[in-house]
Amino acid sequence: MEARLQELQQEALAKIEAASELKELNDVRVAYLGKKGPITEVLRGMGQLSAEERPRMGALVNEVREAIQSRLEEKVAQLEQAVIEQKLAAETIDVTLPGRPVQTGSHHPLTAVIEEIEDLFIGMGYEIAEGPEVEKDYYNFEALNLPKGHPARDMQDSFYITDEVLLRTHTSPVQARTMEKQGGKGPIKIICPGKVYRRDDDDATHSHQFMQIEGLVIDKNIRMSDLKGTLQTFAKKMFGDEREIRLRPSFFPFTEPSVEMDISCMMCHGKGCGTCKGTGWIEILGAGMVHPNVLRMAGYDPAEYQGFAFGMGPERIAMLKYGVDDIRHFYTNDVRFLQQFKRA
Ligand code: FA5
């Protein structure tokens, strides 16, 4: 019996040594230490032993079981450790490999120009005002000295929603709304950026939907020279001293006198090309002294208060600033175009 136990121990230990997977170890455990295993069988045969031999043999059985059990545990720990090491080796990250570039977005060039213009005017003490894009005919036209049937309404071909509601054709209704809110008292100094819509045919410098930034200053003793100085300061800061500027007499029903401001073309530098339609100039804004009728309609007394207003097209300004030859580039969202404006 003793010899049989020695033999079983050696057999089991040999199998444990040879095992390379956890499953094999489990099989050894079941085979040698399980209820139906050979050691249990030896225990069963102990009934035939003499009373003196039985305790010695019992102790021997326990020794054999413990030897197998403890070697099994050691080997299980070894194999588990090996599995962890293998996994870690497979998952090792090579920190010396170059990283994958992360695609970052950037401001749309129009947004960048609008923010630059806003900052410039905020620096001159202006506040930002906003108004609805779906506007009442009253604010878009009537409150701006353009009663129904006025021929100058044709200057801005409109998208009407009902007889009284339209997509605003310019940002000037925000000045009418702001003056009305003031109730005819006190100064105003605002700029109003926003989208506007016109039934214009799209070409290199025209779009049916575009941005405008309106400016309005109302106070006592405001003169045309204040308007001119403001526009010159704006143009110099925006385009630099080398770009030429001209103010042309013009007509807007809501300003008197009225002007338009042109900047020398960025493509041909004044010689005349397809972008500027051969004129050498690109118009960027309309402006003038607020018409007394507009002041009166908003409750201001023109004898006491005067003001100037301007409305500029940020697309045209962005074209001049960045040398873009077609306004449609801003709206077709070609990433090859947009990527050129990424900040370094
Ligand atoms: C107006 O819209 C007037 N409300 C501007 C104004 C405000 C005058 C306050 C006096 C006092 P005008 O239609 O000229 O004016 O448009 C102003 C600017 O918007 C133009 O100088 C141009 O830069 C831009 N613009 C006009 N039409 C288009 C268009 N279809 N596509 C792109 N930009 C345009």
Side-chain angles (χ1 to χ4, degrees), residues 291-322:
H291 197 290
N293 285 351
V294 175
L295 287 167
R296 247 181 247 118
M297 257 183 284
Y300 276 94
D301 176 2
E304 199 184 352
Y305 284 96
Q306 303 79 42
F308 67 74
F310 54 85
M312 58 177 79
E315 284 89 348
R316 304 254 180 105
I317 293 166
M319 287 172 79
L320 286 157
K321 206 171 158 61
Y322 297 123

Short mmCIF file of all heavy atoms in Angstrom, two decimals, residues 291-322:
data_model
loop_
_atom_site.label_atom_id
_atom_site.label_comp_id
_atom_site.label_asym_id
_atom_site.label_seq_id
_atom_site.Cartn_x
_atom_site.Cartn_y
_atom_site.Cartn_z
N HIS A 291 -32.00 109.66 -42.30
CA HIS A 291 -32.99 110.58 -42.86
C HIS A 291 -33.90 111.10 -41.74
O HIS A 291 -34.35 110.32 -40.89
CB HIS A 291 -33.81 109.82 -43.91
CG HIS A 291 -34.57 110.71 -44.83
ND1 HIS A 291 -35.65 111.46 -44.42
CD2 HIS A 291 -34.38 111.00 -46.14
CE1 HIS A 291 -36.12 112.16 -45.46
NE2 HIS A 291 -35.35 111.91 -46.52
N PRO A 292 -34.21 112.40 -41.76
CA PRO A 292 -35.09 112.96 -40.72
C PRO A 292 -36.42 112.21 -40.60
O PRO A 292 -36.94 112.03 -39.49
CB PRO A 292 -35.32 114.41 -41.17
CG PRO A 292 -34.18 114.72 -42.08
CD PRO A 292 -33.73 113.43 -42.69
N ASN A 293 -36.96 111.72 -41.72
CA ASN A 293 -38.23 110.96 -41.65
C ASN A 293 -38.07 109.69 -40.82
O ASN A 293 -38.98 109.28 -40.10
CB ASN A 293 -38.69 110.55 -43.06
CG ASN A 293 -39.25 111.71 -43.83
OD1 ASN A 293 -39.45 112.79 -43.26
ND2 ASN A 293 -39.49 111.52 -45.12
N VAL A 294 -36.90 109.03 -40.95
CA VAL A 294 -36.66 107.78 -40.20
C VAL A 294 -36.56 108.11 -38.70
O VAL A 294 -37.12 107.40 -37.85
CB VAL A 294 -35.37 107.08 -40.71
CG1 VAL A 294 -35.03 105.86 -39.87
CG2 VAL A 294 -35.52 106.68 -42.17
N LEU A 295 -35.87 109.19 -38.39
CA LEU A 295 -35.76 109.61 -36.98
C LEU A 295 -37.15 109.91 -36.42
O LEU A 295 -37.51 109.44 -35.34
CB LEU A 295 -34.88 110.86 -36.87
CG LEU A 295 -33.37 110.65 -37.08
CD1 LEU A 295 -32.65 111.98 -37.25
CD2 LEU A 295 -32.77 109.90 -35.88
N ARG A 296 -37.93 110.66 -37.19
CA ARG A 296 -39.28 111.06 -36.73
C ARG A 296 -40.15 109.82 -36.51
O ARG A 296 -40.83 109.72 -35.49
CB ARG A 296 -39.91 111.97 -37.79
CG ARG A 296 -40.09 113.38 -37.28
CD ARG A 296 -40.74 114.28 -38.31
NE ARG A 296 -39.78 115.29 -38.76
CZ ARG A 296 -39.33 115.42 -40.00
NH1 ARG A 296 -39.73 114.61 -40.95
NH2 ARG A 296 -38.47 116.36 -40.29
N MET A 297 -40.10 108.85 -37.46
CA MET A 297 -40.95 107.66 -37.34
C MET A 297 -40.62 106.86 -36.08
O MET A 297 -41.47 106.18 -35.52
CB MET A 297 -40.80 106.78 -38.58
CG MET A 297 -41.98 106.93 -39.51
SD MET A 297 -41.87 105.84 -40.92
CE MET A 297 -40.68 106.65 -41.90
N ALA A 298 -39.36 106.94 -35.63
CA ALA A 298 -38.97 106.18 -34.43
C ALA A 298 -39.14 107.04 -33.17
O ALA A 298 -38.78 106.60 -32.07
CB ALA A 298 -37.52 105.74 -34.57
N GLY A 299 -39.65 108.25 -33.32
CA GLY A 299 -39.92 109.09 -32.15
C GLY A 299 -38.83 110.07 -31.82
O GLY A 299 -38.91 110.78 -30.81
N TYR A 300 -37.77 110.17 -32.61
CA TYR A 300 -36.69 111.13 -32.34
C TYR A 300 -37.01 112.47 -33.01
O TYR A 300 -37.59 112.51 -34.10
CB TYR A 300 -35.35 110.61 -32.91
CG TYR A 300 -34.64 109.65 -31.98
CD1 TYR A 300 -34.81 108.29 -32.11
CD2 TYR A 300 -33.78 110.12 -30.97
CE1 TYR A 300 -34.16 107.40 -31.27
CE2 TYR A 300 -33.12 109.24 -30.13
CZ TYR A 300 -33.32 107.88 -30.28
OH TYR A 300 -32.67 107.01 -29.44
N ASP A 301 -36.61 113.57 -32.37
CA ASP A 301 -36.77 114.90 -32.96
C ASP A 301 -35.50 115.21 -33.75
O ASP A 301 -34.43 115.38 -33.16
CB ASP A 301 -36.97 115.92 -31.81
CG ASP A 301 -37.06 117.34 -32.36
OD1 ASP A 301 -37.00 117.52 -33.59
OD2 ASP A 301 -37.17 118.27 -31.52
N PRO A 302 -35.60 115.32 -35.09
CA PRO A 302 -34.40 115.53 -35.90
C PRO A 302 -33.70 116.86 -35.61
O PRO A 302 -32.51 117.02 -35.93
CB PRO A 302 -34.91 115.51 -37.35
CG PRO A 302 -36.32 115.09 -37.30
CD PRO A 302 -36.82 115.24 -35.91
N ALA A 303 -34.44 117.80 -34.98
CA ALA A 303 -33.79 119.07 -34.64
C ALA A 303 -32.84 118.87 -33.45
O ALA A 303 -31.89 119.63 -33.25
CB ALA A 303 -34.85 120.11 -34.30
N GLU A 304 -33.11 117.83 -32.68
CA GLU A 304 -32.29 117.58 -31.48
C GLU A 304 -31.25 116.47 -31.72
O GLU A 304 -30.10 116.58 -31.31
CB GLU A 304 -33.22 117.17 -30.33
CG GLU A 304 -32.61 117.32 -28.96
CD GLU A 304 -33.53 116.80 -27.86
OE1 GLU A 304 -34.71 116.48 -28.16
OE2 GLU A 304 -33.07 116.69 -26.72
N TYR A 305 -31.70 115.41 -32.38
CA TYR A 305 -30.82 114.24 -32.58
C TYR A 305 -30.51 114.04 -34.07
O TYR A 305 -31.38 114.21 -34.92
CB TYR A 305 -31.49 112.96 -32.07
CG TYR A 305 -31.47 112.83 -30.57
CD1 TYR A 305 -32.57 113.25 -29.80
CD2 TYR A 305 -30.37 112.30 -29.90
CE1 TYR A 305 -32.55 113.13 -28.42
CE2 TYR A 305 -30.35 112.19 -28.52
CZ TYR A 305 -31.45 112.60 -27.79
OH TYR A 305 -31.43 112.48 -26.42
N GLN A 306 -29.28 113.67 -34.35
CA GLN A 306 -28.90 113.26 -35.71
C GLN A 306 -28.19 111.91 -35.59
O GLN A 306 -27.89 111.46 -34.50
CB GLN A 306 -27.93 114.26 -36.36
CG GLN A 306 -28.43 115.70 -36.45
CD GLN A 306 -28.28 116.41 -35.11
OE1 GLN A 306 -27.28 116.26 -34.43
NE2 GLN A 306 -29.31 117.18 -34.73
N GLY A 307 -27.90 111.34 -36.75
CA GLY A 307 -27.19 110.06 -36.67
C GLY A 307 -26.64 109.65 -38.01
O GLY A 307 -26.96 110.24 -39.04
N PHE A 308 -25.73 108.70 -37.97
CA PHE A 308 -25.29 108.09 -39.23
C PHE A 308 -25.47 106.58 -39.17
O PHE A 308 -25.57 106.01 -38.06
CB PHE A 308 -23.85 108.49 -39.59
CG PHE A 308 -22.76 107.96 -38.68
CD1 PHE A 308 -22.38 106.61 -38.70
CD2 PHE A 308 -22.10 108.83 -37.81
CE1 PHE A 308 -21.36 106.15 -37.88
CE2 PHE A 308 -21.08 108.36 -36.98
CZ PHE A 308 -20.71 107.01 -37.01
N ALA A 309 -25.55 105.97 -40.35
CA ALA A 309 -25.73 104.51 -40.41
C ALA A 309 -24.92 103.97 -41.58
O ALA A 309 -24.61 104.70 -42.52
CB ALA A 309 -27.20 104.17 -40.60
N PHE A 310 -24.57 102.71 -41.47
CA PHE A 310 -23.88 102.06 -42.58
C PHE A 310 -24.26 100.58 -42.59
O PHE A 310 -24.69 100.03 -41.57
CB PHE A 310 -22.34 102.22 -42.48
CG PHE A 310 -21.76 101.78 -41.16
CD1 PHE A 310 -21.44 100.45 -40.93
CD2 PHE A 310 -21.53 102.72 -40.15
CE1 PHE A 310 -20.89 100.06 -39.71
CE2 PHE A 310 -20.99 102.32 -38.92
CZ PHE A 310 -20.67 100.99 -38.70
N GLY A 311 -24.15 99.97 -43.76
CA GLY A 311 -24.43 98.53 -43.86
C GLY A 311 -23.40 97.90 -44.78
O GLY A 311 -23.26 98.32 -45.93
N MET A 312 -22.63 96.98 -44.24
CA MET A 312 -21.53 96.42 -45.03
C MET A 312 -21.72 94.92 -45.30
O MET A 312 -22.46 94.25 -44.58
CB MET A 312 -20.19 96.65 -44.33
CG MET A 312 -20.09 96.06 -42.96
SD MET A 312 -18.47 96.29 -42.25
CE MET A 312 -18.53 97.99 -41.70
N GLY A 313 -21.04 94.44 -46.34
CA GLY A 313 -21.13 93.02 -46.71
C GLY A 313 -19.86 92.28 -46.32
O GLY A 313 -18.83 92.43 -46.98
N PRO A 314 -19.89 91.48 -45.24
CA PRO A 314 -18.68 90.77 -44.78
C PRO A 314 -18.08 89.84 -45.84
O PRO A 314 -16.86 89.64 -45.85
CB PRO A 314 -19.15 89.98 -43.57
CG PRO A 314 -20.42 90.59 -43.16
CD PRO A 314 -21.03 91.24 -44.35
N GLU A 315 -18.92 89.26 -46.73
CA GLU A 315 -18.35 88.37 -47.77
C GLU A 315 -17.38 89.17 -48.64
O GLU A 315 -16.27 88.72 -48.93
CB GLU A 315 -19.44 87.80 -48.67
CG GLU A 315 -20.25 86.69 -48.05
CD GLU A 315 -21.44 87.21 -47.30
OE1 GLU A 315 -21.52 88.44 -47.07
OE2 GLU A 315 -22.30 86.39 -46.91
N ARG A 316 -17.84 90.37 -49.07
CA ARG A 316 -16.99 91.19 -49.93
C ARG A 316 -15.71 91.59 -49.18
O ARG A 316 -14.63 91.64 -49.76
CB ARG A 316 -17.74 92.47 -50.35
CG ARG A 316 -19.07 92.19 -51.03
CD ARG A 316 -19.00 92.45 -52.51
NE ARG A 316 -20.28 92.18 -53.14
CZ ARG A 316 -21.13 93.12 -53.55
NH1 ARG A 316 -20.83 94.39 -53.39
NH2 ARG A 316 -22.27 92.77 -54.12
N ILE A 317 -15.85 91.84 -47.88
CA ILE A 317 -14.69 92.24 -47.07
C ILE A 317 -13.72 91.06 -46.96
O ILE A 317 -12.51 91.23 -47.12
CB ILE A 317 -15.15 92.75 -45.69
CG1 ILE A 317 -15.91 94.07 -45.92
CG2 ILE A 317 -13.99 92.94 -44.73
CD1 ILE A 317 -16.71 94.56 -44.75
N ALA A 318 -14.28 89.86 -46.73
CA ALA A 318 -13.42 88.66 -46.65
C ALA A 318 -12.74 88.41 -48.00
O ALA A 318 -11.56 88.02 -48.05
CB ALA A 318 -14.26 87.44 -46.24
N MET A 319 -13.44 88.66 -49.09
CA MET A 319 -12.84 88.48 -50.44
C MET A 319 -11.65 89.41 -50.61
O MET A 319 -10.59 89.01 -51.09
CB MET A 319 -13.88 88.78 -51.53
CG MET A 319 -14.94 87.71 -51.67
SD MET A 319 -16.26 88.22 -52.80
CE MET A 319 -15.47 87.92 -54.37
N LEU A 320 -11.85 90.66 -50.20
CA LEU A 320 -10.78 91.66 -50.34
C LEU A 320 -9.60 91.33 -49.44
O LEU A 320 -8.44 91.48 -49.81
CB LEU A 320 -11.31 93.04 -49.98
CG LEU A 320 -12.24 93.67 -51.03
CD1 LEU A 320 -13.14 94.71 -50.41
CD2 LEU A 320 -11.41 94.30 -52.15
N LYS A 321 -9.92 90.88 -48.25
CA LYS A 321 -8.87 90.63 -47.27
C LYS A 321 -8.02 89.41 -47.63
O LYS A 321 -6.81 89.41 -47.48
CB LYS A 321 -9.53 90.41 -45.91
CG LYS A 321 -8.65 90.74 -44.74
CD LYS A 321 -9.46 90.70 -43.47
CE LYS A 321 -8.56 90.51 -42.29
NZ LYS A 321 -7.58 91.55 -42.07
N TYR A 322 -8.70 88.35 -48.09
CA TYR A 322 -7.98 87.10 -48.35
C TYR A 322 -7.72 86.83 -49.83
O TYR A 322 -7.21 85.76 -50.18
CB TYR A 322 -8.76 85.91 -47.76
CG TYR A 322 -8.92 85.97 -46.26
CD1 TYR A 322 -10.18 85.96 -45.67
CD2 TYR A 322 -7.81 86.04 -45.42
CE1 TYR A 322 -10.34 86.01 -44.30
CE2 TYR A 322 -7.95 86.09 -44.05
CZ TYR A 322 -9.22 86.08 -43.49
OH TYR A 322 -9.37 86.13 -42.14
#
